[in-house]
Amino acid sequence: ESMHRVVFAAFMLDIIHAAMFGHTADMAAHEIRLPLPCDDNLWTASSPDVVRQLDANFRMYGVKQVSFLDGLKSALHGKEVKTHSFGRMIIISGLLSVGWHLSHKETHLKWLDLRTPSTETQDNWRKMLLKAFGNWKESFDVAMSDSITDAPGHRPVPNGPINSASLLFHLAHISLHADIVDCQVFAGAKRLLGRKVSA
């Protein structure tokens, strides 16, 4: 479980840095064939007995761990992915990754004057992603408002990335409409990605 969380944290950092700073994204969503992380209550359980009890409760109610790719596909098609806050952050990172990779593939095809997909196809995947972002945000906001009012006996789980959900949502939107490197050039940056910007 620890290694799964490390992989997902690396994936999130990789795609966020690619979208924010114009770096190349080294990890692609389709390469990650792991289940989404376990429930936060299991992760923060204070003893093996608590883990066994929680696990038994989850099984009794039919709660199963979802694979990352299945969750991502569901989110892409506008379906809610029943997971905790960190899992939801991984899903929006996955959606951002899909959009980033599709946008960059399209850019390279245009530049090389190769046959690109029709404008209608490009518009369709953009609309699909924008709708998925909106559905994700609605679902995230509802889940977070529910978790605040949940069981008063449980201590809140400190989770840094969760506090930046809104920022990540807006970054995902921006990345579908503009390349951050183009924005930086337009803003007058003199050096980018270790190279001087020419006139």
Side-chain angles (χ1 to χ4, degrees), residues 2-181:
S2 297
M3 283 311 298
H4 289 183
R5 287 177 178 245
V6 167
V7 169
F8 284 123
F11 171 66
M12 287 175 67
L13 286 171
D14 182 56
I15 192 59
I16 290 169
H17 276 241
M20 282 180 70
F21 305 113
H23 302 168
T24 301
D26 291 321
M27 298 173 83
H30 69 271
E31 296 171 333
I32 301 174
R33 302 190 183 251
L34 297 172
L36 285 171
C38 71
D39 186 271
D40 280 341
N41 291 317
L42 269 176
W43 178 244
T44 57
S46 54
S47 72
D49 291 336
V50 175
V51 170
R52 279 190 283 276
Q53 184 184 353
L54 286 168
D55 195 41
N57 288 346
F58 290 143
R59 286 173 197 270
M60 187 171 71
Y61 289 108
V63 177
K64 294 178 185 166
Q65 240 180 331
V66 179
S67 83
F68 169 64
L69 287 179
D70 287 344
L72 186 55
K73 283 178 199 169
S74 293
L76 199 52
H77 294 287
K79 297 175 191 157
E80 183 182 5
V81 181
K82 297 278 187 193
T83 185
H84 49 85
S85 51
F86 184 46
R88 290 175 189 276
M89 293 300 288
I90 293 164
I91 293 294
I92 190 66
S93 298
L95 292 171
L96 172 60
S97 175
V98 169
W100 188 91
H101 281 92
L102 286 171
S103 293
H104 282 74
K105 178 182 176 187
E106 188 181 288
T107 304
H108 290 300
L109 291 175
K110 273 188 209 167
W111 178 79
L112 292 167
D113 289 333
L114 295 175
R115 196 164 158 243
T116 58
S118 68
T119 307
E120 190 181 335
T121 307
Q122 293 166 11
D123 286 347
N124 284 347
W125 70 254
R126 272 202 175 83
K127 282 179 191 166
M128 187 180 201
L129 275 166
L130 288 169
K131 190 170 185 226
F133 294 159
N135 290 337
W136 175 87
K137 183 73 166 88
E138 265 178 48
S139 170
F140 184 87
D141 290 343
V142 168
M144 290 304 97
S145 66
D146 287 350
S147 70
I148 290 167
T149 58
D150 264 358
H154 287 304
R155 60 187 171 82
V157 179
N159 220 332
I162 309 312
N163 300 327
S164 58
S166 186
L167 187 84
L168 191 49
F169 167 72
H170 292 296
L171 176 64
H173 263 274
I174 291 167
S175 72
L176 276 189
H177 298 289
D179 186 320
I180 198 70
V181 174

